[in-house]
Each structure stands twice: as C-alpha cells, then as structure tokens.
C-alpha cells in the first residue's frame, strides 16, 4: 500500500478561483471586514433592506395578476392618493427593518409620524428614512419605479428624538435605491463610492454588475418636467432654455429611473422649486438626501441652485426642496444661472 503524503493533502485556496460572483451581502461583508470599527450591524440592516426590495420586486412583477394595481381609496398625510402597492411596500420595509434589531427610528413617505422602536432592547444604532415605492404615478402603467433609502447613525449616548432627523444630509452613513424596471437593480453607497447590484431572480441574490459607478463630468441629457416650465423661477427657466438646444430630453417621471439613467449616462436631472410648489416636490429626508449622496459619491453634484443639497437641514420630516443633480459641469452650469440672478 502506498504511503500517504501528508504534505500534499491540502491545496491552498483563496476566494476568486473558478466561477465567482460578488453578491451584495458578500461585498458589504468585505467592507465590514476591512473596517476596524465595523460591528456587522450595517451588514444586517442592509440584508433587511435587500429582503424588502426582493419582495417588492416580485410583487411589482405580478401586480396586474394578483389585484395589486390601483388605489386604496385613501390619501396620505401629504394629500396624495395611496396605491395598493405603496401600502404593501411600506409594511414590508417597516417590518423587515424593525425585525433586524438595528434601527431605532424610521421615517417613511407613507407614514405621517416618524416611528420609534418601542422596546429599548430592540433598538439599534441606525435611523432609516425611506420612500418604499417612489414614482407612484407610474405604477399602474408598468414604467420603472423604485425604493429609496438613506441611513443615519443615532447620535452617541443620547436618547433618540427629532434632533436625529432635523440635521443635514452630511450625517448620512449610507444610501441607495432599488429600481424595479426592465431589470431590478440596487445602487448602494456606504461612503466609499457607488456600486450597482442586479437581482438575479433565479437565485434571489443581488449580484455586482456595475462596480464603482462614476459620473462623466458632462453629459448630453437634461431631465425635467417641462410641463411645469411656466412656474419655474428665471434661473431654472433660463437654464432649461439654454440646454434644450444642445442636449436630448429624457424624463421618466420616476426619480429612481431618472437618477439611474443620470448615474450611468451622465447629464442633469432636476425638480426645481417653483411658484406652484414653493418648496419643490421632492422630500428632503428620503428622496433628495439619498440621491444627492449617491450622486456626490459618484463624482457628481447636487444643488438646490444656491446651496449644496446635502447641506440642507429639513424643518420637519416631510419637508421638501427643489433639487438639480448630475454631472459636475452640468450642475455648475445650472448654478451659474442662479449666481447671475
Ligand atoms: P411620489 O413619491 O409621490 O411618487 O412623487 C415623487 C415622484 C418622483 O419619482 C418624480 O421625480 C416626481 O415625483 C415626478 O413628478 P411629476 O409627475 O410632477 O413630474
Ligand atoms: Mg416618492
């Protein structure tokens, strides 16, 4: 009988040999392992968000077949009609986030009040602001919609409260969105660039498909609801008149889809404050801040016209602001119209 050579019983192996897929969970874990202070809490929280997105992605696909299209007959606190899918998405994210044990406070577009986790023992160190299903007007016609989220940390050693919410977007530690479109993609930043992960429905995992997304310094697309032009202030009106002769117009009417295209192709997206919506339409905590964070992390800029969007401080949880965001030079050109004014 041949003697066993103990030395050759082991093959040294490292990750990355053979077929390899970078799942979102694995990527987040790698960030956690690389950081001396990380505790794993953010990894768990992001797993809860992934679950919510997978659930909503699946229901959005089936909506027409299982009676999920249309209105609930209710209006939310902001006076907008609530769709059935809005309610379902909100419930799923709320429950998944609370069950993670990693949040203390939640702010949702669909809920009038901020929600504080009642049992102090089940509270975690994060705050999540989210729009469970953005682009409601597009739900029933099958156009891309999405979930947007921003993540803040509770301020150290203090009881959680309003002061944790009424602060600038510079306090965010992570942000992202999930787009339910012709493919389902999660875009995420934890403060070190922006990465995109596409949902493979066959295995139920988000797989990295768009590493290190970087905006070109200038694009060729402008994206704004021109039907509102007559209400715009002079700088925004003059800017749109200046770009419309040289750029292509693209406007989906779902912020997630318009921002996604802007991140991938460059250009500029805006929903300015106007004489009809004096504070703009988009909500600061769960629409403007997360998107401004992603755009800055990808090398672009986000502004109200006169100040950086991330420097805003909301006065209340559903406060709104006008915003322009996208390629750096395009946004600076828009800002130059405000400076001249
Ligand atoms: P919603 O949160 O009620 O869906 O509203 C926000 C949406 C954004 O996705 C989009 O950018 C904007 O409203 C479109 O508004 P409009 O239809 O006025 O152009
Ligand atoms: Mg919204």
């Amino acid at each position: 009988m041949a003697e066993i050579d103990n030395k050759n019983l082991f093959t040294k192996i490292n990750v990355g040999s053979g077929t390899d897929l970078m799942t979102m969970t694995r990527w987040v874990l790698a960030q956690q392992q690389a950081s001396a202070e990380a505790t794993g809490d953010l990894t768990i929280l992001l797993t809860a968000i992934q679950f919510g997105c997978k659930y909503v992605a699946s229901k959005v696909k089936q909506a027409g077949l299982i009676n999920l299209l249309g209105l609930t007959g209710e209006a939310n606190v902001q006076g907008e009609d609530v769709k059935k899918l809005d309610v379902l998405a909100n419930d799923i994210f709320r429950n998944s986030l609370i069950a993670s044990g990693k949040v203390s406070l939640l702010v949702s577009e669909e809920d009038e009040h901020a929600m504080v986790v009642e049992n102090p023992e089940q509270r975690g160190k994060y705050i999540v602001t989210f729009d469970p299903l953005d682009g409601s007007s597009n739900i029933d016609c099958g156009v891309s919609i999405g979930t947007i989220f921003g993540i803040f940390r509770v301020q150290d050693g203090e009881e959680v409260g309003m002061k944790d919410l009424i602060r600038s977007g510079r306090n965010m530690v992570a942000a992202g969105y999930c787009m339910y479109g012709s493919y389902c993609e999660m875009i995420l930043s934890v403060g070190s660039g922006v990465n995109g992960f596409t949902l493979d429905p066959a295995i139920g995992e988000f797989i990295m498909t768009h590493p290190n997304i970087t905006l070109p310094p200038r694009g060729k697309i402008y994206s704004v609801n021109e039907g509102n032009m007559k209400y715009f202030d002079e700088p925004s009106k003059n800017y749109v008149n200046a770009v419309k002769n040289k750029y292509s117009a693209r406007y989906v009417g779902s912020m997630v889809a318009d921002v996604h295209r802007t991140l991938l192709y460059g250009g500029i997206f805006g929903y300015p404050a106007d004489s009809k919506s004096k504070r703009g339409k988009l909500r600061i905590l769960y629409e403007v801040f997360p998107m401004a964070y992603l755009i800055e992390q990808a090398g672009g800029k986000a502004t109200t016209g006169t100040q950086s969007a991330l420097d805003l401080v909301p006065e209340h949880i559903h406060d709104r602001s006008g915003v322009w965001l996208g390629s750096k030079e395009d946004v600076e050109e828009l800002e130059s119209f405000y400076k001249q004014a």
Side-chain angles (χ1 to χ4, degrees):
M1 200 170 145
E3 224 171 275
I4 294 175
D5 177 357
N6 278 328
K7 275 198 295 221
N8 290 329
L9 272 180
F10 299 98
T11 305
K12 287 186 181 152
I13 185 154
N14 284 307
V15 79
S17 51
T19 304
D20 191 24
L21 293 173
M22 178 62 82
T23 66
M24 185 167 153
T25 303
R26 180 173 136 191
W27 182 82
V28 176
L29 264 174
Q31 309 310 300
Q32 179 200 319
Q33 284 157 2
S35 154
E37 298 109 65
T39 56
D41 285 8
L42 188 62
T43 306
I44 294 172
L45 181 59
L46 288 167
T47 305
I49 292 176
Q50 283 188 66
F51 168 74
C53 294
K54 287 179 205 173
Y55 185 87
V56 173
S58 137
K59 295 301 164 209
V60 164
K61 272 214 171 66
Q62 301 170 56
L65 303 168
I66 55 172
N67 193 27
L68 275 179
L69 295 181
L71 301 172
T72 56
E74 310 272 314
N76 67 14
V77 60
Q78 309 178 50
E80 298 154 345
D81 291 333
V82 176
K83 304 260 168 114
K84 291 180 196 164
L85 268 175
D86 282 329
V87 176
L88 183 62
N90 194 36
D91 286 352
I92 287 296
F93 278 104
R94 217 168 33 194
N95 287 318
S96 177
L97 287 165
I98 295 171
S100 76
K102 302 303 172 198
V103 292
S104 285
L105 269 181
L106 293 174
V107 172
S108 163
E109 178 182 315
E110 296 302 327
D111 291 300
E112 179 175 3
H113 300 292
M115 291 160 282
V116 60
V117 175
E118 190 173 11
N119 181 347
E121 289 181 1
Q122 285 167 6
R123 289 184 194 152
K125 63 173 182 252
Y126 291 107
I127 298 163
V128 179
T129 63
F130 63 106
D131 183 350
L133 206 52
D134 183 64
S136 301
S137 67
N138 280 326
I139 291 179
D140 292 354
C141 62
V143 171
S144 299
I145 48 182
T147 299
I148 311 173
F149 58 92
I151 302 178
F152 295 77
R153 204 175 278 129
V154 171
Q155 296 176 75
D156 275 347
E158 293 178 45
E159 187 68 11
V160 286
M162 225 36 177
K163 59 165 182 27
D164 290 295
L165 300 170
I166 307 303
R167 41 184 182 144
S168 93
R170 300 271 168 217
N171 293 289
M172 262 187 304
V173 294
Y177 63 78
C178 184
M179 184 184 69
Y180 313 108
S182 56
Y183 57 86
C184 173
E185 171 128 354
M186 177 101 76
I187 298 291
L188 175 70
S189 175
V190 294
S192 51
V194 180
N195 291 289
F197 303 83
T198 303
L199 180 64
D200 180 341
I203 57 172
E205 286 282 359
F206 285 97
I207 307 291
M208 185 181 272
T209 47
H210 294 82
N212 198 18
I213 296 172
T214 310
L215 271 166
R218 193 174 265 282
K220 295 191 187 97
I221 294 171
Y222 75 102
S223 180
V224 68
N225 185 343
E226 278 189 72
N228 291 335
M229 272 272 275
K230 58 179 178 295
Y231 306 113
F232 287 3
D233 61 18
E234 286 307 305
S236 283
K237 209 183 282 178
N238 291 339
Y239 173 72
V240 174
N241 280 328
V243 281
K244 69 194 300 174
N245 296 317
K246 50 180 187 174
Y247 282 10
S248 287
R250 295 282 186 278
Y251 187 71
V252 178
S254 288
M255 189 188 198
V256 168
D258 284 315
V259 170
H260 192 63
R261 183 200 54 248
T262 306
L263 270 175
L264 297 186
Y265 297 172
I268 187 164
F269 162 81
Y271 206 111
D274 61 32
S275 60
K276 201 170 55 154
S277 328
K278 297 238 164 19
R279 296 184 78 101
K281 177 178 185 192
L282 300 174
R283 274 59 51 119
I284 296 173
L285 276 179
Y286 41 82
E287 291 171 332
V288 174
F289 276 174
M291 294 311 202
Y293 184 87
L294 291 169
I295 289 283
E296 280 202 8
Q297 284 288 327
K301 274 188 102 172
T303 179
T304 61
T306 53
Q307 77 171 118
S308 162
L310 281 179
D311 289 334
L312 286 165
V313 178
E315 287 174 16
H316 55 85
I317 62 169
H318 298 295
D319 204 0
R320 301 165 191 255
S321 169
V323 67
W324 285 94
L325 53 81
S327 292
K328 193 163 173 285
E329 289 173 18
D330 287 313
V331 175
E332 283 169 356
E333 189 178 340
L334 169 276
E335 285 174 323
S336 74
F337 283 81
Y338 277 88
K339 283 194 192 113
Q340 282 162 32

